[in-house]
């Protein structure tokens, strides 16, 4: 997801992704290599990705590259298919609305249905590294829970509110072949694509054939 212009458990359920954020993100990034970002129209963005089944050195290297790519593109979240890899994994380095930094990785994410009593919609602007230079308001629940696995295959759950909740929903969508513009009206989608056509990305992208 684009910015707007240790597996420690919390209680019995949610990981604490707010510990040692600077050190963890830097370690991943320094081991990794930034890759160019795929953009809307690239087939890998428009189909459901494959499940992660092997939690090995190859996956660890991919996660490192994803953190490096995310930082190079100045993003707050990145799904594997955004660097052309057909696997259900995303990374994030995102502030919540209280200014708390969250850093982590989720493999095979599943977004939980938000209970009716917590279903408050936030219609803030949303952007995407795969739709560079473009933004549009999009209503999403301001609370999200994603369940999946960490890079070692251990079951995890991540929760977020506000902007971080938006990030979790946005990145999970990517891995099922949905971009945020797919949730917009035809008129708003056309406007976003116009913004993209008129803009110049700040980072390297993969041209569509």
């Amino acid at each position: 997801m684009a910015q707007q212009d240790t597996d420690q458990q919390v209680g019995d359920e949610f990981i604490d992704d707010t510990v040692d954020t600077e050190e963890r993100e830097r370690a991943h990034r320094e081991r990794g290599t930034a890759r160019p970002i795929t953009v809307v129209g690239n087939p890998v963005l428009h189909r459901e990705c494959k499940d992660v089944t092997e939690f090995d050195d190859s996956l660890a290297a991919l996660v490192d590259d994803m953190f490096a790519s995310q930082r190079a593109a100045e993003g707050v979240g990145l799904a594997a298919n955004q660097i052309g890899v057909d696997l259900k994994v995303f990374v994030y380095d995102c502030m919540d609305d209280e200014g708390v930094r969250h850093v982590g990785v989720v493999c095979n994410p599943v977004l939980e249905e938000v209970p009716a009593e917590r279903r408050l919609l936030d219609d803030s602007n949303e952007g995407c590294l795969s739709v560079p230079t473009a933004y549009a308001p999009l209503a999403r629940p301001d609370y999200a829970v994603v369940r999946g696995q960490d890079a070692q295959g251990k079951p995890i759950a991540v929760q977020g509110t506000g902007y971080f909740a938006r990030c979790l929903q946005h990145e999970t969508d990517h891995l099922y072949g949905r971009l945020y513009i797919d949730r917009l009206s035809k008129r708003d989608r056309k406007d976003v694509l116009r913004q993209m056509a008129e803009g110049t990305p700040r980072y390297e992208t993969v041209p569509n054939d």
Side-chain angles (χ1 to χ4, degrees), residues 8-191:
Q8 178 182 359
Q9 293 291 326
V10 176
D12 295 323
E13 188 170 19
F14 298 109
I15 63 166
D16 186 352
D17 54 10
T18 67
V19 174
D20 299 328
T21 53
E22 182 69 29
E23 294 82 357
R24 290 189 292 112
E25 188 276 336
R26 183 173 62 245
H28 283 298
R29 173 167 42 90
E30 290 180 349
R31 290 191 300 261
T33 300
R35 305 191 200 180
I37 304 296
T38 55
V39 296
V40 59
N42 189 305
V44 74
L45 294 174
H46 302 282
R47 60 174 182 259
E48 182 175 346
C49 293
K50 297 175 182 175
D51 289 345
V52 177
T53 57
E54 298 193 18
F55 298 85
D56 54 12
D57 290 345
S58 176
L59 177 64
L62 171 63
V63 169
D64 290 342
D65 284 358
M66 290 174 68
F67 273 104
S69 303
Q70 175 178 253
R71 174 59 69 95
E74 300 179 8
V76 298
L78 187 75
N81 54 357
Q82 292 185 272
I83 56 170
V85 178
D86 184 11
L87 281 177
K88 282 182 183 165
V89 52
F90 73 79
V91 302
Y92 58 88
D93 181 1
C94 185
M95 297 284 191
D96 62 25
D97 287 359
E98 284 70 50
V100 177
R101 185 179 181 183
H102 300 259
V103 171
V105 53
V106 183
C107 302
N108 303 324
V110 175
L111 188 67
E112 283 198 350
E113 187 71 27
V114 178
E117 63 271 18
R118 296 211 65 166
R119 194 173 177 82
L120 299 174
L121 293 180
D122 171 17
D123 61 356
S124 296
N125 261 10
E126 190 159 326
C128 180
L129 298 179
S130 293
V131 193
T133 74
Y135 300 88
L138 177 63
R140 290 192 189 264
D142 70 350
Y143 174 72
V145 172
V146 169
R147 298 186 185 276
Q149 294 162 282
D150 65 15
Q152 290 74 47
K154 178 182 176 182
I156 57 172
V158 183
Q159 65 177 339
T161 58
Y163 187 51
F164 182 42
R166 181 176 295 275
C167 176
L168 293 174
Q169 295 169 82
H170 180 110
E171 301 308 331
T172 300
D173 268 358
H174 267 303
L175 300 177
Y176 290 86
R178 296 188 295 266
L179 280 74
Y180 87 97
I181 62 173
D182 296 329
R183 296 184 177 276
L184 300 175
S185 68
K186 288 183 179 179
R187 187 171 116 181
D188 288 345
R189 178 187 170 102
K190 182 177 179 181
D191 180 65

